[in-house]
Amino acid sequence: MYDKVVVIGSLNYDVCLKLERLPEEGETNFADSVEYCSGGKGANQAVQAAKLDLEVYMAGCIGEDASGEFLKKTVEGYGVRTDYLKKVPGNSGMSVAQSLYDGGIRASVVRGANDCVTRADIDALAPAIDAGTVVVFQLEIPMDTILYAIDLCREKGAYIILNGAPAAALPEESLRKLDLFIVNEVEASFYGNCRIDSVETATEQILKMSGRLGTDCIFTLGKAGSVVCRNMQTQMVPSRKVQAVESTGAGDSFIGGLCYGLVNEMDLFEACRFATCCSARTVCKTGGQPAMPTLDEVLEIYEGENG
């Protein structure tokens, strides 16, 4: 049914600090190590899908700086097509993350070139989108561009996934045009205007959200797993029990895994189980994109689980 993935979103140059604890206000403390890598929710999701041997296009903007060239070469190295990646004046997007040994992470992001994705860029991308395309969005590029692109993708008959992160106000008219809306528990609490702190409240609220929007939804709940709502039927998909090293990119890895499931004609519940195996592999290593698994690495645990 689907034969390619188009990710429309952000690319960031990531600086990841590894440290025992966060500094207190007014305090300077030492990080134990630093890693520099390609990141941004859009690029991460594209890379995971490409590492699963899918045909993937990345659409977005990078700056005319060394970071931009690094980002382009890195995603291409993973097999992502960059035909629709545009270079603009100024700096590329950037993230500085503080990663703790317990797997927690805090990050600050500079939008940079990500703020330069326009409607004209979406028009230029239109030939790559058709009824055989899975299109993935996040909320790290301008909202006007995202809403315009959702309309174009709906007209083209593509399967539309929106990862509502970071949480931001969205018109329900646009949310109703989605095929799948994916958020974590914090974002789900924002969109549902209520606190979601358990599997029970997540199941209750996902039914309300999916019913209101007429859209399939997934709420990811960290170590607990995820709640999936498809055609008003829900399932809890538990997480894989692993020794987490770092959570960077785990949610993006999950979305790349979902794309694999959809392209390979899994139903949404099974695609979610496959995606859970992807994120489980990712948290066992450091570094975001480098930590994301290949198809063979995912199949090793997915087929073992289902064999």
Side-chain angles (χ1 to χ4, degrees):
M1 183 188 301
Y2 305 111
D3 56 13
K4 65 179 178 297
V5 176
V6 174
V7 180
I8 303 173
S10 57
L11 303 94
N12 291 330
Y13 183 76
D14 283 356
V15 179
C16 187
L17 307 176
K18 193 75 174 181
L19 65 170
E20 182 67 34
R21 62 174 180 86
L22 297 174
E24 301 292 339
E25 183 177 354
E27 177 191 17
T28 298
N29 68 351
F30 287 98
D32 295 326
S33 63
V34 61
E35 291 187 29
Y36 305 95
C37 56
S38 170
K41 290 183 182 298
N44 288 345
Q45 293 165 13
V47 164
Q48 179 60 93
K51 290 179 84 168
L52 299 173
D53 296 341
L54 301 181
E55 181 181 357
V56 184
Y57 292 81
M58 179 74 219
C61 290
I62 53 174
E64 293 180 332
D65 53 2
S67 297
E69 193 59 31
F70 171 82
L71 293 172
K72 183 174 184 290
K73 287 183 177 179
T74 301
V75 298
E76 287 176 342
Y78 289 118
V80 176
R81 295 281 300 271
T82 57
D83 308 51
Y84 302 100
L85 190 60
K86 186 177 75 172
K87 188 175 289 187
V88 297
N91 295 323
S92 300
M94 181 179 182
S95 169
V96 178
Q98 295 172 303
S99 175
L100 305 181
Y101 286 101
D102 64 5
I105 191 164
R106 304 289 187 276
S108 297
V109 177
V110 178
R111 291 182 181 273
N114 294 313
D115 235 8
C116 298
V117 187
T118 66
R119 291 186 174 202
D121 297 322
I122 303 304
D123 290 337
L125 175 65
I129 298 172
D130 55 35
T133 311
V134 175
V135 183
V136 183
F137 298 93
Q138 326 75 37
L139 299 178
E140 293 185 331
I141 62 173
M143 184 65 72
D144 175 73
T145 303
I146 294 168
L147 301 182
Y148 179 78
I150 288 173
D151 286 341
L152 183 145
C153 292
R154 176 53 54 224
E155 291 172 8
K156 294 273 192 174
Y159 186 96
I160 307 171
I161 300 174
L162 174 63
N163 174 210
L170 286 158
E172 289 210 353
E173 178 186 358
S174 294
L175 293 175
R176 293 190 186 101
K177 296 173 182 176
L178 307 175
D179 292 288
L180 181 60
F181 186 44
I182 305 175
V183 288
N184 65 24
E185 68 269 35
V186 175
E187 295 149 1
S189 298
F190 172 85
Y191 291 110
N193 196 29
C194 66
R195 182 176 174 80
I196 295 175
D197 55 8
S198 67
V199 172
E200 292 73 24
T201 56
T203 301
E204 176 185 338
Q205 293 301 319
I206 201 171
L207 280 165
K208 290 182 179 179
M209 182 178 292
S210 188
R212 188 177 77 246
L213 300 177
T215 298
D216 292 340
C217 298
I218 297 176
F219 291 176
T220 58
L221 307 176
K223 294 178 182 178
S226 55
V227 177
V228 186
C229 186
R230 165 70 172 151
N231 290 335
M232 298 304 292
Q233 300 296 313
T234 65
Q235 283 189 23
M236 171 65 193
V237 177
S239 64
R240 298 278 305 183
K241 303 306 178 187
V242 295
Q243 186 62 49
V245 174
E246 181 182 295
S247 62
T248 304
D252 299 327
S253 175
F254 181 91
I255 291 171
L258 276 173
C259 291
Y260 176 89
L262 292 168
V263 170
N264 285 276
E265 300 187 14
M266 296 180 187
D267 67 34
L268 188 59
F269 301 116
E270 194 57 38
C272 189
R273 281 185 275 274
F274 181 89
T276 298
C277 294
C278 292
S279 54
R281 278 287 195 182
T282 297
V283 300
C284 292
K285 298 179 183 179
T286 63
Q289 292 175 16
M292 291 175 177
T294 63
L295 180 57
D296 286 344
E297 289 172 328
V298 180
L299 290 177
E300 182 180 327
I301 57 174
Y302 173 73
E303 291 179 345
E305 182 181 73
N306 292 275

